[in-house]
Amino acid sequence: MAADRRSSWLKGVLDLLVLSRLTDGESYGYEIAKALAEAGLGEIKGGTLYPVLNRLEEAGLVEAEFRAAERGPGRRYYRLTPTGREHLAAESRSWREFHRAVDTALRPGGPTA
Amino acid sequence: MNDTAYFAEVTGALAAAGVPAAQIEATVEDLRAHLAESGTAPEEEFGPAARFAARLGGLAPEPDGPDAAAEHWTWTADLFNDRRMLAVHGAQGWEVESLDPIGRFVCRRTPGSALRWEYRREVIAGRRRARVEDELTPEGWEPCGEWLVYGYFKRPAAALAGPAGAVQAPPAAPHRWLFLSRRGKAVLAVWTLLVGGATAAFFVGALGTAGLAIAIALTSSLSAVWTAGLENAAGRERRGPAA
């Protein structure tokens, strides 16, 4: 039950979390998944991550560039677009407001405490 | 399934959805790079190939995503006719998204990238559910609705047919929404007769409100059981005598 709930929470903010991993520069799928795991968000499988990256690209929030590698298969690198950066800032504010409201409501005594 | 077979299936499904070859090639290479670092098997990392390709290539837009271009159609059939009609409409590119509370198939189809869909119906009552899902998921089937004890599963035909799984010239969305078989009509006629009788009895005062409600519930339950019984018998007939 707890894992299900955590998974639902993550689903609601995964696009923002992915965008947040690109604020310091470009990155690629596996590196993004690894960074999210290291941030304590659990293992994000490729089956979940890549459709999210595709949607972000279709929405113009990230740009992708495929680069061949000298050794082994090439990779697609993603970077934030200006629209993506604005979107991330606005949606992060919304999330923080929502988080504060939930946090207040869950405190002993509820929102009036 | 090994990496080669897995990515062949993904490639076929993406091609069927009209994704350009160069983009497919880059995508597959990128996914292979991911596996090289994660050390996982493709199915373990990305899930069943058909479903992953559908989510990846825009074949099946996210339920919450923009969906303005898609056609929508809701229809129903009786238990004797549902699998046949699902096969017919699945071949025309209709994807069942869910069954609504009154048992209608809620479908969508995306013009320009419609895929043929395959369907199957299984009894998923009680402990059978987990077993059925465990058996079907590795083959690319995913649940798309439930009705009474039945579970419906869908799979894009591209999972097996590759580019041939695309619908080339889908016919227009049908105006019709009800597809009853001969036996379905018979069951409905009996139900209407009994419920009509109970309603008449209610209006002449021979039956109270509670009595009418019980009569309708009882008639509906018996009709469902009768229908399921007839369908099971028909299924046994189709399969022939047990060896």
Side-chain angles (χ1 to χ4, degrees):
Chain A
M1 184 59 160
D4 283 352
R5 181 164 285 169
R6 203 177 157 82
S7 163
S8 301
W9 292 338
L10 189 59
K11 197 175 168 189
V13 288
L14 185 57
D15 57 340
L16 298 183
L17 294 170
V18 170
L19 290 175
S20 75
R21 294 305 95 183
L22 299 172
T23 49
D24 294 334
E26 64 180 20
S27 187
Y28 57 92
Y30 180 75
E31 197 173 59
I32 294 170
K34 203 171 144 205
L36 292 175
E38 284 167 0
L41 293 159
E43 188 186 10
I44 314 289
K45 289 282 189 189
T48 303
L49 178 65
Y50 286 93
V52 171
L53 283 166
N54 273 13
R55 285 205 303 282
L56 292 173
E57 189 184 356
E58 279 168 21
L61 303 178
V62 300
E63 282 172 343
E65 186 188 355
F66 180 77
R67 283 182 224 148
E70 283 183 18
R71 280 186 303 170
R75 287 198 194 101
R76 189 175 267 147
Y77 287 83
Y78 298 88
R79 62 176 163 272
L80 271 181
T81 62
T83 315
R85 205 170 285 277
E86 283 168 25
H87 179 82
L88 175 62
E91 292 298 314
S92 298
R93 274 196 299 278
S94 299
W95 167 258
R96 280 193 288 271
E97 280 166 25
F98 177 69
H99 173 261
R100 266 197 298 276
V102 172
D103 199 37
T104 307
L106 290 180
R107 276 188 197 144
T112 52
Chain B
M1 185 185 286
N2 62 29
D3 290 17
T4 307
Y6 184 90
F7 286 117
E9 196 173 324
V10 170
T11 299
L14 292 176
V19 177
Q23 193 180 329
I24 296 174
E25 200 181 322
T27 298
V28 168
E29 204 169 326
D30 189 33
L31 298 174
R32 283 187 184 278
H34 187 110
L35 294 182
E37 286 196 87
S38 66
T40 47
E43 198 137 17
E44 177 193 350
E45 185 64 37
F46 305 122
R51 186 159 57 173
F52 180 51
R55 296 181 63 209
L56 200 59
L59 316 185
E62 288 294 296
D64 300 333
D67 200 19
E71 299 175 276
H72 297 272
W73 177 48
T74 301
W75 61 279
T76 194
D78 58 65
L79 212 51
F80 310 111
N81 221 11
D82 56 353
R83 286 183 291 191
R84 190 171 69 84
M85 297 319 297
L86 281 167
V88 168
H89 299 135
Q92 295 174 1
W94 291 105
E95 177 192 0
V96 174
E97 291 187 301
S98 62
L99 254 79
D100 68 11
I102 55 171
R104 297 180 305 169
F105 296 103
V106 180
C107 297
R108 68 184 300 285
R109 185 172 68 177
T110 308
S113 63
L115 283 184
R116 285 193 286 117
W117 287 86
E118 297 175 310
Y119 295 97
R120 60 189 293 166
R121 188 188 77 200
E122 300 290 338
V123 174
I124 55 164
R127 280 179 295 182
R128 277 182 62 91
R129 174 191 296 270
R131 185 157 56 84
V132 167
E133 289 185 354
D134 285 348
E135 279 173 15
L136 297 185
T137 303
E139 295 173 11
W141 295 99
E142 59 177 307
C144 60
E146 292 178 23
W147 179 247
L148 303 175
V149 297
Y150 299 103
Y152 292 86
F153 295 82
K154 65 181 174 184
R155 178 170 75 174
L160 298 178
V167 181
Q168 299 304 331
H175 294 297
R176 197 172 155 195
W177 64 273
L178 183 61
F179 299 87
L180 291 180
S181 65
R182 200 162 39 86
R183 278 178 296 178
K185 285 175 187 164
V187 172
L188 185 64
V190 172
W191 182 88
T192 307
L193 202 66
L194 292 174
V195 170
T199 308
F202 170 74
F203 280 116
V204 299
L207 205 60
T209 310
L212 176 65
I214 291 169
I216 292 175
L218 201 60
T219 308
S220 302
S221 303
L222 287 174
S223 301
V225 171
W226 185 29
T227 305
L230 284 173
E231 174 59 4
N232 284 343
R236 279 195 297 273
E237 220 170 86
R238 277 193 297 270
R239 285 192 297 273

